[in-house]
Amino acid sequence: MSYAQRKEMSGNRTVSIAIVALIHVLLGYFIVTGLAYNVVKQATEDLKTFDVEEEPPPPEEPPPPPPEDSLPPPPEISSPPPLNRIPMESPMQVPQTPMVQSPPTPTYVPAPPAPPAPPPPPRVSQAARAKGNLAAYIRPDDYPASAIDQGVQGTARARLEVAASGRISNCTITQSTGNRQLDTVVCRVLTSRARFDPAKDQNGNPVGDTINTPPIRFEITGE
């Protein structure tokens, strides 16, 4: 083999090696690029699964007050103009008449009619008279035995209401003997036994009357 041939073959071999090396470089590039794309895609998907909360911004600090030199001067207060007073007429005063409320009218309730007055008692022109001695109407056997045993004695007086019939309608002891039994005997005996000529009015008609008895003595006598 000649030197030219060897040189040509050496050049071809170098070219082939360069081509193969370029192919490997390209393959490596594509492999690396594809792997990086997959890695980036996976990382992006992983980032999408998390919500990243942004921290709130820090509160804004209030601006510092302006220096006193920069404040505008306060407005000058001017006094208002003097008021012109207009004399006003005093309102006319109307005297008020006080309202006087009249008292309510009382409801008139007629009073019930008064009962008729009883007729005046007839004028007695002649008093009633007993038809006997009133003391004699009480006999010794009317003396209560218990009062005799106790030695009770006494004198009684009574007021008798005599009806127009001549009989006693009521008896009232005005002087007591001091013993209830003896007082009871006086009214009981006179009411049942005494009789009277009734009193008469000015026309001679019999009317009721009231008389007082003489003293009636209860006395225990010896045998």
Side-chain angles (χ1 to χ4, degrees), residues 75 170 192 201:
N170 190 23
S192 61
D201 60 8

Side-chain angles (χ1 to χ4, degrees), residues 122 124-129 159-165 167-170 196-200 206-212:
V124 177
S125 61
Q126 180 180 344
R129 291 179 299 177
R159 182 175 66 248
L160 305 178
E161 295 181 10
V162 181
S165 61
R167 299 179 65 91
I168 297 174
S169 60
N170 190 23
F196 291 83
D197 292 328
K200 294 181 180 180
V207 293
D209 195 6
T210 301
I211 64 173
N212 294 318

Side-chain angles (χ1 to χ4, degrees), residues 4 18 24-25 32 49 55 59 62 64-65 79 83 94-95 97 125 132 141 199 208 216:
H24 281 83
V25 171
V32 172
T49 57
E55 295 182 359
S79 59
L83 298 176
V94 179
T97 304
S125 61
D141 55 351
I216 300 175

Side-chain angles (χ1 to χ4, degrees), residues 4-6 9-10 20 23 46 48 60 62 69 86 90 98 104 111 119 125 131-132 138 145 152 154 167 175 190 221:
Q5 291 178 346
R6 285 197 302 265
M9 291 178 63
S10 177
V20 171
I23 293 172
D46 293 339
K48 289 181 178 180
E60 296 181 359
D69 297 339
I86 301 175
S90 60
S125 61
K131 293 182 178 181
I138 299 175
V152 177
R167 299 179 65 91
Q175 177 182 342
L190 293 180
T221 60

Side-chain angles (χ1 to χ4, degrees), residues 66 79 92 100 102 178:
S79 59
M92 183 177 59
V100 179
S102 59

Side-chain angles (χ1 to χ4, degrees), residues 141-173:
D141 55 351
D142 294 326
Y143 213 120
S146 59
I148 295 175
D149 295 339
Q150 296 175 6
V152 177
Q153 302 180 108
T155 302
R157 292 177 185 269
R159 182 175 66 248
L160 305 178
E161 295 181 10
V162 181
S165 61
R167 299 179 65 91
I168 297 174
S169 60
N170 190 23
C171 174
T172 303
I173 298 295

